[in-house]
Amino acid sequence: MKKLLALMLLISVIFISGCASTIKTSSPVSPEELAVSIEPLVIKEFTEQDISVNVLNNNSTQAIDSVSVSSFDLFTIVEPSSQVNIPAGNKATVSFRVMAPSFDGVEDTSMLTLSYASGIDKEEKTIIKTKVMPVQTIVLPDAKLQFVGFAESMDKLRASPPVSTWETEKGGNVTVKFSVKNSGQTTISNGSMYVLVDIENKLIGNNASVNITEAMAKGGTSYTRGVTIPILKDAPNGETDVYINLMKGDYLLDSQTLVLKVKL
C-alpha cells in the first residue's frame, strides 16, 4: 500500500511538472521590423479626410494581429481605424478618418501611433506593441473666393455684378475682380495668401498675381480687389479659360474659372 501511494505521488509530481512546462511564451515582433508608409497629409482646418497607412511586416516567421491606428497627434480620429492581421513577410493597409485642428496649431510633422498584437507573455496574455512614426502634415485655412468675374475697369470694380465671360480685342486690357472670405474658425493674417490669375493660353496673355493684404477673422472678408491683364497684340482669336486661384504658398485653397474671348 505504501509503495502504491509513493508511486501515485511520483506520478502526480511528474504530471504537475509536465503541465508547468507546457506554458508557452513568445517574443513579439519588434516595431523596427515594421515598415510603415503614408502620404503627406494636406487638409483644411476642421474638415474631415480619409487616410490610408501601408504596413509591411518584415518579420520572417511571425504574424501581427489587430493592427490599427490608435492616435494621430493633434488630429481627431472621427471614425475608428480598421483592424487587420498581417502574416509574416506580408503587407496590408489600415484606413481611418480624421478631422483637422486649427491651421495655426499644427507643426509640419505630426506623430502617428500604430498599435498591434504580437507575442505572448508569461501569463499567456497577448502582448500589445506600438510603433510611432512622423507624418508630414499641412493644415490650411478654410478660405474661399467670392464675387469673382470680369469687370469693366479697375475704377468700376463695384459698378456691376461680376460676369464669367468677357470679349476683348487684341492688344486690349481685361480686368478681373474678386474678394476672399474666411470660412474657417481661425484668423488669417494679412499677406499670407495671394490670388493668381492664370490664362490657360499663354499666346493670349500672361499670368498676374495679387496679395491679400487684409487680415480676416472668422467670417471675415477682404476688400474687392482687381487686376488688369494686357492682351497680346498678336493674340490668336478665339476662347481661353482663365483660372482664378486662391493660394497659400504653393497650396491651392480655392479656384474658379472664367472664359475670355478674343475678337478676330
Side-chain angles (χ1 to χ4, degrees):
M1 186 68 178
K2 291 183 179 180
K3 290 183 178 180
L4 180 61
L5 291 174
L7 180 61
M8 292 178 62
L9 179 60
L10 178 61
I11 293 173
S12 299
V13 170
I14 294 173
F15 179 76
I16 293 172
S17 62
C19 289
S21 65
T22 61
I23 297 176
K24 296 180 179 180
T25 63
S26 62
S27 299
V29 173
S30 168
E32 285 71 29
E33 295 181 272
L34 304 185
V36 182
S37 62
I38 180 174
E39 293 292 328
L41 174 61
V42 180
I43 185 173
K44 287 189 175 183
E45 69 170 7
F46 302 112
T47 61
E48 296 182 7
Q49 188 167 316
D50 292 318
I51 301 176
S52 296
V53 183
N54 298 314
V55 183
L56 171 62
N57 178 9
N58 276 320
N59 189 282
S60 59
T61 59
Q62 293 188 70
I64 54 176
D65 299 325
S66 303
V67 184
S68 64
V69 173
S70 54
S71 67
F72 189 25
D73 226 8
L74 297 178
F75 292 82
T76 302
I77 298 178
V78 295
E79 288 186 8
S81 165
S82 60
Q83 291 191 356
V84 297
N85 300 331
I86 308 178
N90 282 260
K91 62 181 178 180
T93 299
V94 178
S95 301
F96 65 110
R97 188 173 184 84
V98 299
M99 176 185 289
S102 168
F103 79 90
D104 64 354
V106 177
E107 301 293 336
D108 293 341
T109 300
S110 299
M111 305 308 293
L112 181 144
T113 302
L114 197 74
S115 66
Y116 61 97
S118 176
I120 300 173
D121 63 17
K122 293 180 179 179
E123 297 179 352
E124 296 189 325
K125 293 181 179 179
T126 301
I127 299 172
I128 303 298
K129 302 289 289 183
T130 60
K131 182 178 179 69
V132 180
M133 63 166 296
V135 179
Q136 182 181 350
T137 49
I138 302 294
V139 180
L140 300 170
D142 189 7
K144 293 181 173 62
L145 292 163
Q146 60 177 2
F147 309 128
V148 177
F150 293 105
E152 187 175 346
S153 66
M154 290 291 289
D155 296 331
K156 298 181 179 180
L157 294 180
R158 296 177 177 272
S160 58
V163 294
S164 59
T165 302
W166 194 264
E167 191 174 67
T168 187
E169 297 179 348
K170 300 180 181 185
N173 293 322
V174 293
T175 300
V176 175
K177 70 176 182 178
F178 53 83
S179 65
V180 178
K181 179 179 178 62
N182 182 5
S183 300
Q185 306 294 315
T186 310
T187 298
I188 303 173
S189 60
N190 61 314
S192 62
M193 300 182 297
Y194 65 97
V195 170
L196 175 65
V197 180
D198 180 9
I199 298 180
E200 183 179 53
N201 190 333
K202 298 301 185 286
L203 296 177
I204 290 178
N206 297 315
N207 296 347
S209 64
V210 180
N211 288 328
I212 305 301
T213 57
E214 297 82 29
M216 289 169 280
K218 175 182 176 181
T221 59
S222 72
Y223 293 113
T224 299
R225 306 290 298 277
V227 59
T228 298
I229 302 175
I231 303 304
L232 301 178
K233 293 181 180 180
D234 59 349
N237 65 292
E239 295 184 0
T240 184
D241 287 335
V242 180
Y243 306 109
I244 316 302
N245 298 324
L246 176 61
M247 309 290 296
K248 181 174 174 58
D250 295 330
Y251 297 99
L252 178 66
L253 301 178
D254 194 19
S255 182
Q256 293 192 31
T257 303
L258 308 176
V259 177
L260 178 64
K261 297 180 179 180
V262 178
K263 297 178 182 179
L264 181 63

